[in-house]
Amino acid sequence: MQVPVRSCLEWIEEYKPGRMVKGAIKLSSNENPLGPSPRAIREIVKSIEEGTLNLSLYPWEGEEEELRDEILRYIGFGTRMKKENIAVGAGVDGVLDTLVKMFIESGNEAIIPVPTFSLYESLVKIAGGIPRYVKRERGEEHFNIPVKRLTATCNEKTKIIFISSPNNPTGNCVPVDRMRDLIESVPGVMVVIDEAYVEFADSSLVNLVTEYDNVLVLRTFSKAFGLAGLRVGYAVIPEWLANHYKKVSMPFSVNSVAITAAIAALRDKEHLRRSVELVQHERQFLIENLQRFFKVYPSEANFVFVDVSPAKSYEVYDALMKRGIIVRDCSTFRGAGDSFIRITVGTREQNEKVVEALN
Ligand SMILES: Cc1ncc(COP(=O)(O)O)c(C=O)c1O
């Protein structure tokens, strides 16, 4: 006899990653067109061969500490913060999973400005919580967060507000003053700022963690560092959260290959510089060429958000797919409507093919 699963699973949708078709140009998951740092690959192979990375052993605490030290140096928090301010996980996804378990229990609420990354709502639902959606502003504001409406949606059950900055799929960052307004108007709510794409942006909100107890910032190695396949990410958290995080997070959530690669990737400044430069340069190429046919929104991420109306997003998605190019049809994003596509910035050759196909 089948045993009933939790009733909340009825209204949870499976996460649908960007599609992958052999031989096609995949511009649907915001990955790094240059791939991982060659130094990270060499370090993995060398460490295994020399036996310093022993795959038969569980990851050692010291390796994770070294990663957290290296992250502190990378962020520039070497002296102002301690290792305890850095929490690691299996990608931002893994860190989010832990955070939602820490804050959301049955009947609690989380506020999600939409359209945005869909995992926030799934995790809240799985935890028995209730997502409250607030539409981002459109028009002149380019999908900025509506602070007054977000604050008005809060009540005593609200535990988290999720803010992706730069936001997936709209590509815009939240200006620091606006973020301060939000944080200060909801002192009893954890503001989770997801900076998965921050390396491609002009500024970061990470310093806010040093100022407020109700803020934390998420970062990943999946985008600018090109290590999406290894699943490693981190959160910059206020110190009071560190012990709670440790209790809830899965033991050994980041594997030792991922730790080794992430440390090497952080030390390979040149690969990071080249990756960011390529994206910023090619993003401009895509925007300039595509805005001849469509409305293209400004982007601080490694993708562009394109309004293809009067066509429907699925029509453009299908037409590109037939030409061997996979983009993201954003109609699957709650609140995005049916005329947006998201295109990951690729190499010049790939971007030229996109422009040509949409011409
Ligand atoms: C806003 C945002 N956060 C997090 C992630 C997932 O990051 P990770 O690969 O570190 O789990 C994505 C992936 O596309 C994303 O768009």
Side-chain angles (χ1 to χ4, degrees), residues 24-43:
I25 299 173
K26 184 179 179 233
L27 300 175
S28 52
S29 299
N30 307 335
E31 293 141 334
N32 186 334
L34 292 183
S37 141
R39 191 163 158 183
I41 299 172
R42 276 200 307 277
E43 197 58 37

Side-chain angles (χ1 to χ4, degrees), residues 90-110:
V92 164
D93 294 353
V95 179
L96 279 167
D97 183 46
T98 302
L99 290 170
V100 170
K101 285 179 188 151
M102 285 163 64
F103 288 102
I104 302 283
E105 52 196 354
S106 185
N108 286 164
E109 297 185 5

Side-chain angles (χ1 to χ4, degrees), residues 15 90-93 117 120 164 168 194 196-197 220 222-223 231-232:
Y15 179 77
V92 164
D93 294 353
F117 186 47
Y120 309 141
S164 169
N168 174 12
D194 183 346
Y197 300 98
T220 185
S222 300
K223 308 297 177 185
R231 315 301 305 124
V232 49

Side-chain angles (χ1 to χ4, degrees), residues 287-299:
I287 292 174
E288 274 167 20
N289 283 283
L290 295 179
Q291 67 191 8
R292 290 190 275 138
F293 326 114
F294 306 112
K295 165 124 186 93
V296 187
Y297 285 83
S299 171

